Amino acid sequence: MKLFKKLTAFVLCGVMTAGGLFIYNSYGEQTLRVGLERYYMDVSSVHTSNSSLNIAYSGGSIDLDSSSGFTFEPAGGSFGERTGFKTLDEALSAGGQAVYDEQGWCSYNGTGTVSSASETAKEQLASDTEEDAAEITTEQINNSSAVSSYTLSDKAVRISYDGGSFIINYSPVTLSSSSGVIDLGEMSYRGKIEITSSGGLLDTVNILTMDQYLYGVVPSEVYAEWPDEALKAQAVAARTYAQYHIGKHSGYDLCDHTHCQQYSGYTKEEASTNRAVDETSGVIAYYNGKPINSVYYDCDGGYTLSAEEVWGSDIPYLQSTPDPYELNARKWERTFTLSEIGALVKANGSDVGNVTNVSITKKRGDILAEEVVITGTKGSIDIKGQDIKTFFRQDEENLWSRCFTISGSSAPANNIYVEASDGNAKELGVNVVSAVSSGGEVTVLDDINLVLRGKNGDVVLSPDGGRVTEAADSIVISGAGWGHGVGMSQCGAYGMASQGYNYKDILKYYYKGIEVK
């Protein structure tokens, strides 16, 4: 946003909005806290392969080099005698466990046992004069007598590197590198990494600017090879979504997977998607002057859905609309036997007997299924709206969209076979089935199903152009679309960009009545 760029440099500030507290760094850039839940949350250790790090903590910061990188782990335990030092190097040279706590840099010895404070002080600190040594010894005696046994807090973090190890007693610790990138092995990230110890495990948060965050989001959500305008539309949608959802989690603003937005850090960055972020920097989609909830998804199959029918909230800019632009929409199929359909009916509290037919009876725009009727030997039920997706659940998955057709999967049979007592089958050619009334009137049954009930179950016969054929024993639901279907279709954005639309055109098509600026 232009407002962000006008903020005075070198001033830390926050602005409260409907989306939460926006934090800015010293250059007036908005910063985000992203919880790295996929790989680095609730873990026993975190390792960075960076050879140089700045490690900041509550009392200051320190620059360290290590050819083998740095390992961070929760720390615990009790220690005896403590001695105050001015620097980490002094604490390490004392030979005990170097710890930074409320007393500053200290060296703790043993596991709760206390040796002679005066002798330990003389051994730990070399002094230029006996007078200085006496002063230091007295201070250390006082410190050691005040706390004979010292226990680390549950927030303590141990940091191991080429130079040994030390403990920061009160996390978080914040890591930064002169390269601007922190390499955590599985993933690398721009900005800073914050590590907090709690309950014997570590939590990791990435602190970075909005655009740095988007560098890792856009190529995680769409293909970097897509047209530039589609990439820009995704960049603005992702920026607006982040702006709207700041503070969604406790302790950080957003997480790094699809619960918020897929974020893969520096590891996933591409030149084309970075350019799309840069060329739309600060651009947000608004409705009535406020950032919108710019939800998006893979593809809809031909028709978007409204927020009201999916989530029960009527949102003016998230309305259902035809989508003729999708290219390469994901296609899928589900096959159900009629007995499986019957079981689903019973699982939903109804019983239509043996299922004889499943059909779409109402559509929106001849694409989107609005109503499906299931007919059986005991009656029928109708399924409407979003209930259609959940009704036809298979392998613990709902239908991926409501843009689908229904067809039978078995070939029609024009004949019925009966088995004689001698075990031989006799073919009965059945072309027309008629009913004879008590008065002798013959009526051709050409618009209803005929059910032959035998000891092994029912055979359903269906009219087909004046003939009778065996009904399919299963149905195939063939559909297109993937995702909740509300807001912007990513495949639709690709299609619109391929037809020459710009990113603002794309956003305004999928989000109704918005401004993009």
Side-chain angles (χ1 to χ4, degrees):
M1 295 183 205
K2 294 179 180 178
L3 172 62
F4 299 160
K5 296 179 180 179
K6 292 179 181 178
L7 292 173
T8 304
F10 305 107
V11 177
L12 285 171
C13 62
V15 176
M16 184 65 71
T17 75
L21 180 63
F22 300 168
I23 304 300
Y24 301 89
N25 66 15
S26 59
Y27 297 96
E29 298 172 300
Q30 184 181 358
T31 60
L32 295 175
R33 295 172 54 82
V34 182
L36 303 181
E37 294 185 356
R38 282 192 288 163
Y39 301 107
Y40 307 110
M41 200 67 69
D42 293 329
V43 294
S44 58
S45 68
V46 173
H47 179 79
T48 172
S49 61
N50 292 69
S51 58
S52 298
L53 279 183
N54 175 270
I55 302 174
Y57 44 92
S58 61
S61 66
I62 187 170
D63 294 308
L64 294 174
D65 295 324
S66 176
S67 60
S68 60
F70 301 81
T71 299
F72 301 82
E73 301 169 295
S78 298
F79 299 90
E81 180 178 328
R82 70 189 186 192
T83 307
F85 296 93
K86 294 181 179 179
T87 67
L88 170 62
D89 288 341
E90 288 180 358
L92 289 172
S93 66
Q97 175 61 65
V99 178
Y100 186 88
D101 63 13
E102 70 274 10
Q103 302 297 320
W105 285 107
C106 306
S107 181
Y108 293 94
N109 302 307
T111 57
T113 59
V114 181
S115 60
S116 168
S118 59
E119 291 301 318
T120 301
K122 290 178 182 178
E123 294 172 1
Q124 289 179 346
L125 285 179
S127 178
D128 292 337
T129 66
E130 290 186 5
E131 181 179 354
D132 291 337
E135 291 178 359
I136 295 171
T137 300
T138 301
E139 180 184 352
Q140 292 172 353
I141 289 172
N142 291 336
N143 286 341
S144 63
S145 62
V147 180
S148 60
S149 180
Y150 179 79
T151 302
L152 293 172
S153 75
D154 62 356
K155 299 289 187 181
V157 175
R158 182 186 301 277
I159 303 168
S160 303
Y161 68 115
D162 284 351
S165 71
F166 61 94
I167 294 171
I168 302 296
N169 193 28
Y170 299 102
S171 59
V173 295
T174 304
L175 320 180
S176 58
S177 169
S178 59
S179 69
V181 176
I182 306 293
D183 184 354
L184 297 184
E186 192 76 30
M187 293 286 192
S188 296
Y189 300 92
R190 290 180 183 265
K192 299 178 180 181
I193 294 295
E194 180 185 272
I195 298 175
T196 303
S197 177
S198 179
L201 295 171
L202 301 181
D203 291 337
T204 310
V205 172
N206 188 193
I207 304 171
L208 71 174
T209 68
M210 174 69 84
D211 282 359
Q212 287 175 334
Y213 165 69
L214 295 176
Y215 291 157
V217 170
V218 177
S220 302
E221 290 285 356
V222 295
Y223 294 103
E225 298 78 19
W226 279 11
D228 288 345
E229 295 303 309
L231 300 182
K232 290 179 185 179
Q234 179 63 54
V236 175
R239 181 183 292 109
T240 306
Y241 183 92
Q243 197 77 65
Y244 184 90
H245 288 281
I246 283 176
K248 189 173 182 179
H249 290 262
S250 175
Y252 44 92
D253 296 312
L254 303 163
C255 67
D256 62 348
H257 52 70
T258 53
H259 174 263
C260 292
Q261 297 185 111
Q262 192 81 358
Y263 168 65
S264 301
Y266 181 77
T267 305
K268 188 72 173 179
E269 288 185 19
E270 297 283 353
S272 61
T273 50
N274 282 9
R275 184 172 61 251
V277 172
D278 291 339
E279 291 181 359
T280 61
S281 184
V283 178
I284 298 283
Y286 298 91
Y287 186 84
N288 283 346
K290 297 180 180 180
I292 68 170
N293 184 14
S294 53
V295 290
Y296 53 87
Y297 52 91
D298 187 286
C299 54
D300 51 56
Y303 225 104
T304 76
L305 300 175
S306 70
E308 183 173 19
E309 61 189 312
V310 176
W311 298 311
S313 300
D314 184 13
I315 300 175
Y317 52 83
L318 296 177
Q319 298 298 317
S320 179
T321 190
D323 189 356
Y325 299 107
E326 284 192 341
L327 295 179
N328 303 321
R330 195 181 308 198
K331 292 179 171 54
W332 47 266
E333 281 190 354
R334 299 275 183 90
T335 300
F336 295 87
T337 65
L338 296 184
S339 61
E340 287 175 333
I341 298 295
L344 291 176
V345 172
K346 290 181 179 179
N348 280 268
S350 300
D351 185 4
V352 298
N354 293 291
V355 175
T356 60
N357 189 50
V358 182
S359 60
I360 301 172
T361 55
K362 184 179 179 182
K363 290 186 177 183
R364 187 184 308 170
D366 294 327
I367 296 175
L368 184 71
E370 293 272 56
E371 181 180 76
V372 173
V373 172
I374 298 174
T375 304
T377 55
K378 294 181 180 179
S380 64
I381 63 168
D382 59 306
I383 309 161
K384 298 179 180 180
Q386 285 296 95
D387 290 342
I388 296 170
K389 291 179 69 173
T390 55
F391 179 89
F392 291 100
R393 187 172 177 82
Q394 189 178 67
D395 297 330
E396 299 184 355
E397 289 187 339
N398 298 332
L399 293 185
W400 288 112
S401 81
R402 283 163 44 203
C403 294
F404 60 80
T405 59
I406 298 177
S407 60
S409 66
S410 61
N414 289 324
N415 298 309
I416 300 173
Y417 295 85
V418 294
E419 187 173 317
S421 59
D422 60 3
N424 295 318
K426 182 177 181 181
E427 180 178 346
L428 301 178
V430 179
N431 289 325
V432 179
V433 177
S434 302
V436 181
S437 69
S438 59
E441 182 180 351
V442 178
T443 303
V444 177
L445 304 180
D446 59 359
D447 60 353
I448 63 172
N449 292 325
L450 174 67
V451 180
L452 299 182
R453 181 159 292 167
K455 65 178 181 179
N456 293 324
D458 296 346
V459 176
V460 181
L461 305 178
S462 300
D464 179 18
R467 300 160 63 86
V468 175
T469 62
E470 183 178 352
D473 60 5
S474 61
I475 64 164
V476 177
I477 300 178
S478 303
W482 201 269
H484 52 69
V486 181
M488 186 183 75
S489 162
Q490 291 166 319
C491 287
Y494 172 77
M496 290 187 72
S498 299
Q499 294 184 37
Y501 292 96
N502 65 40
Y503 77 93
K504 291 186 178 182
D505 296 330
I506 296 169
L507 294 167
K508 289 179 179 180
Y509 184 79
Y510 288 103
Y511 307 112
K512 302 303 183 183
I514 65 166
E515 290 184 287
V516 182
K517 58 182 181 179

